[in-house]
Amino acid sequence: MTVTDLPAAPASDRTGTAVGRSWSRPDQRAKLDGSAQFLADLPHDHALHVRLLRSDVAHARLTALATEAARAVPGVVAVVTAADLPADADRWGHYVCDRPIFARDVIRFAGEALAAVVAVSERSALEGVHALEVEYEELPPLLDVRAAMAEGAARVHEHEPVAGYACPDADRLVAANAFYSYPVHFERATAPAEPEETVTVEHDYTFPAVYQYAMEPHAVIADWQGDGVVIDTSCQHPFQVREEIATLFDLPVDRVQVRVPFVGGGFGSKSYTKMEPIAVAVSRVVGRPVRLLNQVDDAMVTTRRHGMVLTMRTSVTRSGRLISREAVVRMETGAYADNGPTVTMVAALGAVGPYRWNRVAIDAHCVYTHLPPAGSYRGFGATHVMWASESQLDELAEEVGIDRLELRRRNLLARGEDYVPGRAPVDADLLGDLEAVARAIDWERTRGAEEGCGIAIGISPGGASRLSEARVELVDGTIVVHCGSQEIGQGARTVHAQIAAETLGLDPSLVTVPATDTTRTPYDRSTGASRSTTVAGTAVQQASLRLRDQILDAAAGRAGPRGELEIVAGSVIGPTGVVPLADLGHLVGEGDAHGIGGGKGPEIFWEVSAVAAEIRLDRRTGAVDVHRVVTAADVGRAINPSLVHRQDEGAAMQALGNAMFEELEFDERGALLNASMMDYRVPSTRDLPQEVHCLLIENGDGPGPMGAKGCGEGVFAGMVAAIVCGLGAAGVRMRELPLTPDRVSRALHAGEVDR
């Protein structure tokens, strides 16, 4: 595979020394030599080991759970079940409070935790799990999202939905399997005076459930200490976990301490609360610290990407003007809501697409089933629907005889136009991004009968929340940045060090960024929605500016007048002297991101990526080879260009797996069939394109530091769409993912060849 980092467009400001350069990551050596400590590496000699008994059926009444034999296993200290917890205080969920710590009466998915065996060793805990005896009254499961929405379908949850501690729109919750809906309906009076003939396409599309496959499964160490709890966890949202645990266990927030070591990847799988309630509950019951480490098969039933069924209808005039877009989006969220409503909202927005329409009618639904819970996964919502949106544009272009790129040129929204009324306007040059990848992929080149080239735009609301705070300290002549955004492999600590260094006029090597501890680290809402650089980075920049003022105030007089001082190479330099930073004592600057962005909607920025993909099709076997890929990362300003390239390339390769072969497979009883690395396939080196090119688009138009905005998720939606469109250009329209050879072959032999 050839990876090319193509030159960036000129940025508006390249005067600094820290920003705009590919500084090495401070965690690089530790991660390469093995000295980096992830949660499973943390020493905790007194922690007991926990293994879980999980249900092997998707829907049942739990009639008996015998624990005596398990308690008799040598080394087993306790067996904890729902019977050990208060009946009215064990339901949790940040959006909908719908999930028990352990199944109490009803089992709602295969893999649901029924009991925890606590032992002095991992082996004893596992033997204890095998000794547990459980009896079910099995019930019919709802495994299909359409069946769950059908009139008269049994309810997955009998009780009324209760808003969780962080539910932004509780008024949308209803007592039904389709418990949350998000409509996007609007009309624009842009029709011409004379009506034109229109062409319409309408199809159903399916996107399967897939797994995030972070290298490190979920892991928690919980230590209940009588009037509070200390939690070490591999999570993306430590402050949200703190709030949920405080709410669930009726603790003051300041009695919940959450610490996060290195995290071995997340991609949304470690967003919000996952395993922490179980670990805390068990520690409270046994009165000892406990260690709960998911295995891969555990993690795969803890969270995943939503499955989706979509019906989409699009109309265009014969002259190539888009008229209307209608869609019904059915997001299959599994047995518990998790972050499903937010995913559903983003899917509704994604189904619109970044184009001008006369009329839009989108209805997106979040639907309970008896499958494992689905939550956040990189590029969620937009990735689900935008491949269908872009594919329909290609079909319409062919029907009306207009080049596929030209149809997009005529209809793409311009900077400043409303994406959806009431939401933030478009803040990027979408057409410029598209033209850049078209040139790089050589769009006009004639390709052979076995080849196809697809081009697409990915766009998604970014930033999620303005709630980020930071504290930047001068300590013994060095700078310490305290920021709650997590380092999950994306380079957040590196970028925050660069932002602080740039603001203070220092070398990034003088800046350190410690791990998060909620008792010491300022509040940050979350590590997700591509917000670490843009939002948390703004808080770091503001805190650094305030520290800079304090440094110059402290050195004023000693090195010259305040207005004539500057910070250079670890000292304050002025016309009458030089004052080393180490001589200024301990100074602190605090900042936040509360004022970032000025859009009409909750979006702080739109994350945008244009993608082009060149594919080769083997018509004998249906095998599809993604040969060449060009991505455009529209980042406003690349704080660290190398990290931006790696984000885009990594997302593109993950998206390739989603498009080509990843799929969680369940049997007729709802049990996961491919819950291992042997059975669940992710991209290997053999699957990678021959060429991957990443363009940096730097227009300085982001709301973050130095004009930056987030990256790494928009490319996911664009990549899946570009691959599907490339296959369509080769003559095969696909409406079901993944694009496995058998599916493509069936489409070929079923007459779905379009040329």
Side-chain angles (χ1 to χ4, degrees):
M1 180 182 76
T2 300
V3 176
T4 306
D5 298 344
L6 297 178
S12 58
D13 172 24
R14 292 199 177 275
T15 59
T17 59
V19 163
R21 298 177 62 184
S22 297
W23 289 91
S24 295
R25 298 172 55 138
D27 57 352
Q28 177 175 282
R29 179 174 296 277
K31 288 183 175 178
L32 290 175
D33 67 18
S35 62
Q37 285 195 325
F38 295 83
L39 193 131
D41 304 317
L42 295 181
H44 210 307
D45 297 337
H46 303 294
L48 298 170
H49 296 265
V50 178
R51 289 301 298 266
L52 301 179
L53 171 67
R54 294 181 179 274
S55 165
D56 58 3
V57 298
H59 189 206
R61 296 196 183 281
L62 181 59
T63 57
L65 179 55
T67 63
E68 292 78 7
R71 296 177 194 274
V73 171
V76 169
V77 174
V79 178
V80 182
T81 71
D84 299 296
L85 308 178
D88 59 349
D90 71 337
R91 303 194 79 82
W92 58 278
H94 74 278
Y95 214 111
V96 182
C97 192
D98 59 0
R99 187 165 189 170
I101 296 174
F102 297 107
R104 186 173 291 275
D105 298 310
V106 178
I107 293 164
R108 292 186 174 87
F109 72 94
E112 185 158 19
L114 308 182
V117 176
V118 191
V120 296
S121 70
E122 186 82 9
R123 179 175 179 176
S124 295
L126 189 57
E127 289 179 3
V129 168
H130 291 157
L132 289 167
E133 299 175 9
V134 60
E135 295 180 11
Y136 309 119
E137 178 191 329
E138 200 163 349
L139 301 169
L142 285 168
L143 305 178
D144 179 82
V145 68
R146 284 167 291 201
M149 290 184 69
E151 186 175 354
R155 291 265 302 279
V156 174
H157 291 273
E158 301 82 6
H159 52 76
E160 296 287 318
V162 176
Y165 76 97
C167 179
D169 47 4
D171 58 320
R172 293 185 184 276
L173 301 179
V174 298
N177 288 336
F179 66 95
Y180 175 92
S181 297
Y182 194 91
V184 179
H185 291 237
F186 64 88
E187 293 191 22
R188 292 191 176 105
T190 57
E194 295 296 326
E196 297 184 66
E197 181 186 355
T198 61
V199 176
T200 299
V201 296
E202 179 176 354
H203 302 293
D204 291 334
Y205 302 84
T206 60
F207 195 110
V210 296
Y211 175 52
Q212 297 93 336
Y213 233 122
M215 291 180 69
E216 177 199 31
H218 310 90
V220 188
I221 299 173
D223 185 5
W224 186 272
Q225 299 180 347
D227 61 346
V229 64
V230 178
I231 305 168
D232 294 289
T233 179
S234 58
C235 74
Q236 295 179 230
H237 299 7
F239 290 91
Q240 302 262 7
V241 170
R242 179 183 68 169
E243 189 167 353
E244 180 131 57
I245 294 298
T247 301
L248 177 58
F249 292 94
D250 195 24
L251 292 170
V253 169
D254 63 2
R255 297 303 303 150
V256 179
Q257 180 180 8
V258 179
R259 303 181 300 206
V260 184
F262 281 123
V263 178
F267 315 118
S269 68
K270 295 168 185 171
S271 294
Y272 302 99
T273 305
K274 292 293 184 285
M275 306 304 297
E276 294 86 359
I278 293 177
V280 172
V282 170
S283 179
R284 184 173 67 167
V285 170
V286 301
R288 294 268 302 275
V290 299
R291 182 192 300 263
L292 174 58
L293 307 179
N294 262 356
Q295 305 299 307
V296 169
D297 55 343
D298 297 309
M300 293 178 86
V301 294
T302 298
T303 187
R304 58 178 171 90
R305 192 192 283 283
H306 287 71
M308 179 209 69
V309 176
L310 166 70
T311 302
M312 181 173 281
R313 175 184 174 93
T314 308
S315 298
V316 65
T317 68
R318 285 286 179 186
S319 63
R321 185 171 59 85
L322 292 176
I323 296 296
S324 65
R325 163 65 53 80
E326 301 168 62
V328 177
V329 188
R330 309 166 190 89
M331 304 300 291
E332 183 269 302
T333 204
Y336 299 106
D338 198 275
N339 201 35
T342 302
V343 177
T344 302
M345 178 270 290
V346 176
L349 294 174
V352 177
Y355 302 101
R356 299 183 194 94
W357 306 98
N358 287 1
R359 186 173 66 85
V360 166
I362 312 292
D363 290 289
H365 307 284
C366 191
V367 186
Y368 286 129
T369 65
H370 290 113
L371 289 173
S376 303
Y377 183 1
R378 201 174 195 173
F380 62 63
T383 298
H384 283 94
V385 298
M386 297 201 80
W387 65 280
S389 168
E390 296 287 301
S391 180
Q392 289 206 341
L393 261 63
D394 280 10
E395 283 194 67
L396 291 167
E398 183 170 348
E399 181 68 26
V400 300
I402 296 174
D403 177 78
R404 294 172 290 144
L405 175 60
E406 178 60 27
L407 182 66
R408 290 168 171 82
R409 284 176 177 140
R410 296 182 188 183
N411 293 282
L412 269 173
L413 293 168
R415 186 191 301 277
E417 286 191 87
D418 280 350
Y419 184 90
V420 168
R423 311 290 298 208
V426 171
D427 55 358
D429 179 10
L430 302 179
L431 182 56
D433 296 342
L434 201 66
E435 298 285 9
V437 297
R439 288 191 299 271
I441 203 74
D442 193 8
W443 178 259
E444 302 296 337
R445 180 173 68 83
T446 300
R447 292 172 169 83
E450 307 299 308
E451 297 178 306
C453 187
I455 195 165
I457 286 276
I459 185 169
S460 182
S465 167
R466 294 166 172 82
L467 296 177
S468 283
E469 299 170 350
R471 185 174 68 254
V472 181
E473 302 183 15
L474 173 64
V475 182
D476 297 329
T478 64
I479 302 301
V480 182
V481 175
H482 296 277
C483 178
S485 190
Q486 298 312 295
E487 176 57 72
I488 57 175
Q490 82 281 40
R493 294 182 192 170
T494 307
V495 166
H496 292 155
Q498 288 183 254
I499 291 168
E502 179 83 2
T503 307
L504 293 165
L506 298 171
D507 190 291
S509 63
L510 295 173
V511 183
T512 58
V513 187
T516 298
D517 180 336
T518 57
T519 62
R520 302 183 181 91
T521 309
Y523 183 87
D524 182 71
R525 188 263 185 189
S526 60
T527 304
S530 302
R531 67 189 298 279
S532 290
T533 296
T534 310
V535 185
T538 293
V540 171
Q541 183 186 41
Q542 294 300 314
S544 300
L545 285 168
R546 289 176 183 135
L547 176 60
R548 182 178 183 276
D549 286 341
Q550 292 186 45
I551 289 171
L552 295 179
D553 287 343
R558 298 164 65 180
R562 168 72 164 74
E564 299 181 35
L565 303 181
E566 59 180 328
I567 305 171
V568 178
S571 297
V572 180
I573 298 176
T576 62
V578 175
V579 181
L581 293 182
D583 293 349
L584 296 179
H586 182 204
L587 301 175
V588 179
E590 296 182 335
D592 58 55
H594 299 169
I596 187 173
K600 293 187 296 186
E603 298 77 30
I604 297 171
F605 61 93
W606 290 100
E607 184 172 350
V608 172
S609 181
V611 182
E614 200 170 66
I615 67 97
R616 294 176 180 175
L617 171 65
D618 186 332
R619 293 184 181 275
R620 298 170 303 159
T621 65
V624 178
D625 171 42
V626 181
H627 178 70
R628 187 167 177 245
V629 170
V630 178
T631 68
D634 189 329
V635 296
R637 176 73 184 276
I639 304 297
N640 186 310
S642 178
L643 292 179
V644 174
H645 286 301
R646 303 296 84 81
Q647 279 283 298
D648 245 43
E649 290 156 7
M653 296 308 99
Q654 261 191 315
L656 183 145
N658 278 212
M660 301 301 295
F661 41 76
E662 289 189 53
E663 182 175 12
L664 291 171
E665 298 178 1
F666 300 91
D667 67 16
E668 67 279 359
R669 299 173 69 208
L672 182 58
L673 296 173
N674 55 338
S676 75
M677 195 71 172
M678 296 294 293
D679 299 315
Y680 184 88
R681 189 178 168 211
V682 295
S684 70
T685 53
R686 292 179 300 174
D687 302 305
L688 302 182
Q690 291 297 308
E691 300 177 37
V692 178
H693 307 279
C694 175
L695 301 166
L696 284 188
I697 308 297
E698 295 190 78
N699 294 324
D701 51 5
M706 299 89 183
K709 53 187 171 182
C711 70
E713 293 192 87
V715 67
F716 218 118
M719 178 73 172
V720 175
I723 292 172
V724 172
C725 290
L727 184 56
V732 187
R733 303 284 182 203
M734 294 296 293
R735 299 175 187 114
E736 181 180 10
L737 295 180
L739 305 175
T740 54
D742 59 318
R743 282 199 178 105
V744 174
S745 182
R746 284 198 300 270
L748 279 164
H749 292 98
E752 291 185 36
V753 180
D754 294 333
R755 72 177 186 196

